[in-house]
Amino acid sequence: MPTPRFTFHQPQNLEQALDLVGMYRTNGKILAGGTDLVPKLRAGLMDVHHVVSLNRVPGLNRITFHEDDGLVIGAGARLADVALNPEVMKHYPGLAHACSVMATTQIRNMGTVAGNIVNSAPSADTAAPLLAYKAAVILVERGGRRHVPLTEFFSGPGLNVMEPMEIMEAIRVPSPPRRSGSAYLRLSARSKVDIAAVGVAGFLALDMDGVIIEARLALAAVAPTPLRCPEAEAMLAGQKPDPQLLTRAAAACVRACRPIDDVRATAAYRRKMVQVLAGRVIEQCYQTAERGDA
Amino acid sequence: MAKQLIELIVNGDRYEVAVEPGASLAEVLREELYLTGTKVGCNQGDCGACTVLVDGRSVSSCLTLAVEAHQREVTTIEGLAPSGETLHPLQEAFIEKGAVQCGFCSAGMILAAKALLDRNPAPSPEEIRHGLSGNLCRCTGYVKIVEAIQAASLKLAAGKEAR
C-alpha cells in the first residue's frame, strides 16, 4: 500500500487547531481517534493535503457530569472511557451500552464518541442513544461557538451541518430526571466488530403515578440518518404502557424509518426488528424508570 | 511533505525515527525498527493481528499513525520477553495449551490478553471472549486461546501471592 502524502499538524491548543482548520478548510481533515479517517486516507480515497490532529489539545478528552448541567463528553473522549465512566453507566446506560458493544476493544480504545457523530454514518451506534438523551453538540470556529441539537445535526449518509472551519469541541447531554429510564438495543449479524443492522434507543420520564411525562425514541441504521420518532413519542406521552400501546408505539417507529436492503439486512427485516426492539426498549425504559430515582 | 522526526519509546527503548506522516505505527515498527513480531493482517482495523499497547491500552497499530505515537510508550510482543530466554506467563500458557496454530494472530492475541489481564486479573471465559472480540484467528483455535489466557491469569495471580 503506498503511503498517503499529507502534512501532519499537531496543534497544542484549541486556538491553534482552529487556525489550522480555517487555513486548510478546502483540503484538510481533522483527526481524533482516526479509526474511520486513517483507513480512508491510507486507501487513497481522499484528496487530503493536511491532517490536523486534536490529540495534543489538552482538556478535549474530558468526561464530566454534574446533576444540574448534565454530561459533557469532550471531542477527544474515547469510546472505551465513556463506556466505563461510572456516571455514564449510572445516568446514561443506553449510551454506555452503545459505547461498550460497538466495534472492537482496540477500536473503542482509539475511537471517540464525537468522531462517531461527525462521521455521521446512518448506523452510528452512539447517535441513537444520544438522540434519545436530547444531546446537543458544541461546534467552535475562530471567533464563534454554537450549540446544535443533535436532531438538527445530521443531513444525510455521512453528511451533517458542520462548516469546514468548525471543530466539534464537545457533546452535551442534559441530566435525566429522577423517575426516568433509558436503554439502547442493537442487532447485527455478528455480535462484535460488525456495524449495527438496526439500533433502537429510548428514554422515558414518569410522574409519581407512573404516567409517562416525556418519551423519546430514536433509531439507527434504518434511514439515511439516525432519527427520532415523534409520532411514537406523542402516543406514549400521558399514558401508562400496556401491551396494545407498546405495539402501536412500536408500529409508529416502523413508520418513521426508511430502511434499505444491504449486506447487513433487508429492509423488510429491519422493519420487523424495529417493531420488536422498540417494544422491548420502551418496556425496559419503563421498568427502570418505575424502579425509582436512578 | 517531508518526513517528520519522532521519538518512540518501544519496549522501554528510545528510538528517533524519521517517518512519513502517512506511515502507520505497524509499518514503522516492522520496517524501520525491524520489530517484525507485530503482524499486519487486514490493514484496516478488523483483524487485530497488529495489536500493540500504547500507554498500556490495546490499539490497532495499522490504524495508528506513527506520528501520533510520538513520545508514547509502545509495547510489542518483543517487549513481553525482553531477554528472549524467559517467556511471559501468557506466552508460556499459549505454548502449554496448544493455543498457537499458524501463529499469525498470536502476537496480537497475546497483547490483547495482556491488556485484558492488566485491567481484569481474573476474567471469566465470557470476559476473555469479549476482551478478544477484536482479534480473529483464521485457524479458529479460540478454545485453546481462551484456556491459555485463563491458565495465565491463574499463574500470574499465584506469582503475585508468592511475592
Side-chain angles (χ1 to χ4, degrees):
Chain A
M1 192 182 286
T3 307
R5 300 193 154 260
F6 52 79
T7 306
F8 192 69
H9 305 271
Q10 290 179 306
Q12 304 294 312
N13 56 53
L14 194 59
E15 285 69 34
Q16 284 180 9
L18 290 168
D19 283 344
L20 289 162
V21 169
M23 209 178 319
Y24 303 121
R25 60 183 175 276
T26 52
N27 58 8
K29 273 279 170 192
I30 300 169
L31 179 123
T35 55
D36 285 310
L37 182 62
V38 171
K40 282 186 212 155
L41 282 175
R42 291 174 55 77
L45 295 176
M46 302 174 109
D47 184 29
V48 171
H49 298 258
H50 296 272
V51 173
V52 180
S53 163
L54 298 183
N55 290 313
R56 308 271 157 168
V57 177
L60 272 192
N61 56 4
R62 70 192 187 279
I63 304 167
T64 57
F65 176 79
H66 295 290
E67 293 281 341
D68 302 331
D69 302 341
L71 177 71
V72 177
I73 303 169
R78 302 307 189 224
L79 293 162
D81 292 328
V82 176
L84 295 173
N85 182 288
E87 308 278 18
V88 176
M89 290 168 77
K90 182 172 171 206
H91 300 288
Y92 309 94
L95 178 62
H97 180 66
C99 293
S100 69
V101 295
M102 62 189 285
T104 68
T105 312
Q106 289 88 333
I107 304 283
R108 293 193 297 270
N109 280 339
M110 305 173 72
T112 62
V113 177
N116 190 231
I117 297 301
V118 172
N119 203 44
S120 301
S123 59
D125 267 300
T126 62
L130 285 172
L131 280 167
Y133 290 122
K134 221 174 164 179
V137 297
I138 302 171
L139 305 178
V140 276
E141 63 177 299
R142 208 76 181 106
R145 184 177 256 102
R146 59 176 177 142
H147 286 228
V148 179
L150 203 56
T151 44
E152 293 164 23
F153 183 77
F154 302 110
S155 49
L159 301 173
N160 57 55
V161 301
M162 273 178 88
E163 299 291 342
M165 63 286 247
E166 282 182 318
I167 294 177
M168 184 178 289
E169 185 184 25
I171 299 163
R172 295 195 77 110
V173 198
S175 203
R178 282 191 171 270
R179 279 174 72 82
S180 66
S182 57
Y184 177 58
L185 294 177
R186 58 107 81 180
L187 272 183
S188 62
R190 290 160 173 262
S191 65
K192 306 286 166 10
V193 186
D194 204 4
I195 291 165
V198 182
V200 181
F203 168 93
L204 293 181
L206 311 183
D207 70 9
M208 293 316 286
D209 302 319
V211 175
I212 297 170
I213 307 169
E214 191 178 7
R216 289 183 229 126
L217 293 163
L219 310 176
V222 292
T225 67
L227 78 174
R228 290 262 301 267
C229 310
E231 190 196 344
E233 294 171 2
M235 273 181 192
L236 291 167
Q239 308 291 319
K240 280 189 182 184
D242 59 55
Q244 283 85 4
L245 180 62
L246 286 189
T247 310
R248 282 195 298 124
C253 290
V254 177
R255 284 194 291 279
C257 71
R258 282 166 287 155
I260 55 166
D261 290 329
D262 70 10
V263 291
R264 295 197 172 78
T266 61
Y269 177 77
R270 286 185 154 108
R271 282 200 190 86
K272 278 187 186 146
M273 290 308 106
V274 168
Q275 176 79 41
V276 174
L277 295 182
R280 285 184 197 162
V281 160
I282 299 167
E283 214 172 350
Q284 210 171 308
C285 291
Y286 194 80
Q287 281 167 2
T288 347
E290 263 198 320
R291 271 205 301 274
D293 57 7
Chain B
M1 314 200 189
K3 286 192 174 183
Q4 211 166 315
L5 197 64
I6 60 165
E7 185 182 84
L8 292 177
I9 305 144
V10 184
N11 305 325
D13 297 327
R14 273 168 201 279
Y15 298 87
E16 276 207 351
V17 215
V19 300
E20 296 277 358
S24 71
L25 179 60
E27 281 172 338
V28 171
L29 289 170
R30 289 178 53 82
E31 290 160 29
E32 303 288 334
L33 308 185
Y34 303 118
L35 294 171
T36 52
T38 301
K39 304 302 179 203
V40 176
C42 69
N43 212 5
Q44 52 186 13
D46 291 325
C47 79
C50 69
T51 303
V52 300
L53 308 186
V54 175
D55 291 342
R57 300 172 70 140
S58 61
V59 302
S60 302
S61 61
C62 75
L63 290 184
T64 306
L65 296 178
V67 282
E68 283 279 75
H70 174 57
Q71 289 181 338
R72 305 242 192 258
E73 301 237 5
V74 180
T75 305
T76 69
I77 191 70
E78 288 88 350
L80 291 198
S83 71
E85 287 160 18
T86 322
L87 293 178
H88 187 277
L90 270 166
Q91 293 170 309
E92 282 175 2
F94 266 61
I95 296 169
E96 278 165 22
K97 295 287 175 185
V100 178
Q101 291 188 46
C102 85
F104 198 83
C105 73
S106 303
M109 285 283 180
I110 288 170
L111 285 162
K114 180 170 191 309
L116 172 69
L117 294 183
D118 286 347
R119 210 178 55 243
N120 177 1
S124 66
E126 183 56 34
E127 287 170 328
I128 293 173
R129 285 173 193 280
H130 190 74
L132 293 187
S133 59
N135 293 76
L136 304 183
C137 165
R138 294 322 307 263
C139 309
T140 70
Y142 294 107
V143 171
K144 295 293 169 191
I145 291 171
V146 174
E147 285 176 11
I149 294 167
Q150 269 196 304
S153 80
L154 294 175
K155 199 183 263 185
L156 282 162
K160 256 180 211 147
E161 264 167 40
R163 247 179 278 143

